[in-house]
Amino acid sequence: MTRTLTFAIPKGRILDEALPLLAKAGIEPEAEFHDKKSRALRFATNLPDVSIIRVRAFDVATFVAHGAAQIGIVGSDVVEEFDYSELYAPVDLDIGHCRLSVAQPADAADEDEAAISHVRVATKYPHLTRKYYEARGLQAECVKLNGAMELAPSLGLSRRIVDLVSSGATLKANGLVETDIIMPISARLIVNRAAFKMRSAELAPMVEAFRRAVGVRDAA
């Protein structure tokens, strides 16, 4: 009996762009998936041996890295933040484009970093934030928040934030300016490395289907 493959996809900003790619790759979730009133988290698909789970973006990486799901879609920001050795990210899906940036109040945008050695930063990306500031010779004290990052400077929690930026409208509305880009971001197809070896007959064609869906035929 064939074991079901579990495909993890993220709630939020990437989902709407991911669904057409899933369809191009031959995977379509059951009707309940599109029912906004449904509280279900796991769904059947048109493929009898493939199910979909819909979870928070950060949890996609954890489910796949630990083998609870074998394949998934998530932003490159999450891949880089967790840096799980168990994850293989073979395809840039060319969706979910944004950037991970540093921002701070407009009146502090010209602050001289040469005069300081320590910064406090509100972010949900402590690993990438510390790495960025270490490269600049600064120690970053990261205050972990999962949302509403833009409030941190006005409420005195931190002077700077590191967060995802798309249009920059939310920053502007909260009196912040983008001062540096840490990395550009796009969504990636991720696969559990062990599963890819053990179940290559199932996963390799699926990975190739996504490559074709985004117009890439050579291995990444």
Side-chain angles (χ1 to χ4, degrees):
M1 184 176 177
T2 303
R3 291 173 295 161
T4 300
L5 281 174
T6 300
F7 199 124
I9 61 173
K11 300 175 181 179
R13 65 186 182 86
I14 292 175
L15 181 58
D16 289 344
E17 291 181 83
L19 288 174
L21 277 182
L22 280 166
K24 284 184 180 180
I27 303 170
E28 297 187 24
E30 63 177 308
E32 187 181 1
F33 180 90
H34 304 286
D35 181 357
K36 295 187 184 299
K37 295 181 181 178
S38 174
R39 300 296 182 185
L41 297 175
R42 185 168 190 155
F43 305 89
T45 72
N46 59 313
L47 304 177
D49 57 347
V50 178
S51 66
I52 285 176
I53 60 172
R54 183 171 57 197
V55 296
R56 293 181 184 274
F58 273 43
D59 293 337
V60 169
T62 301
F63 273 103
V64 176
H66 290 278
Q70 292 74 45
I71 188 167
I73 291 173
V74 77
S76 54
D77 54 316
V78 178
V79 175
E80 295 292 333
E81 174 64 22
F82 282 97
D83 195 24
Y84 285 125
S85 61
E86 299 89 350
L87 290 184
Y88 170 46
V91 187
D92 184 339
L93 298 174
D94 197 27
I95 60 173
H97 291 283
C98 58
R99 54 197 182 270
L100 184 66
S101 295
V102 182
Q104 58 193 84
D107 61 5
D110 296 325
E111 190 174 76
D112 183 10
E113 288 188 349
I116 58 176
S117 61
H118 172 275
V119 294
R120 176 185 282 183
V121 188
T123 185
K124 64 177 177 180
Y125 299 93
H127 172 70
L128 289 172
T129 298
R130 291 189 187 100
K131 184 177 178 181
Y132 166 81
Y133 279 108
E134 282 172 5
R136 300 168 74 88
L138 295 173
Q139 180 183 356
E141 175 191 349
C142 294
V143 179
K144 183 74 159 55
L145 293 178
N146 292 315
M149 228 70 62
E150 295 82 6
L151 288 174
S154 64
L155 296 177
L157 187 60
S158 69
R159 287 292 283 168
R160 306 180 188 200
I161 68 169
V162 167
D163 199 13
L164 300 182
V165 176
S166 181
S167 68
T170 304
L171 293 179
K172 185 177 181 180
N174 287 278
L176 304 178
V177 295
E178 189 176 5
T179 57
D180 201 7
I181 296 173
I182 295 178
M183 61 181 287
I185 294 163
S186 59
R188 306 298 167 92
L189 184 73
I190 59 171
V191 186
N192 177 276
R193 288 186 183 276
F196 194 67
K197 292 179 181 178
M198 300 280 292
R199 306 181 68 174
S200 61
E202 302 157 85
L203 287 168
M206 192 175 290
V207 170
E208 186 57 35
F210 277 92
R211 286 199 179 106
R212 290 195 300 270
V214 295
V216 177
R217 292 187 176 273
D218 296 326

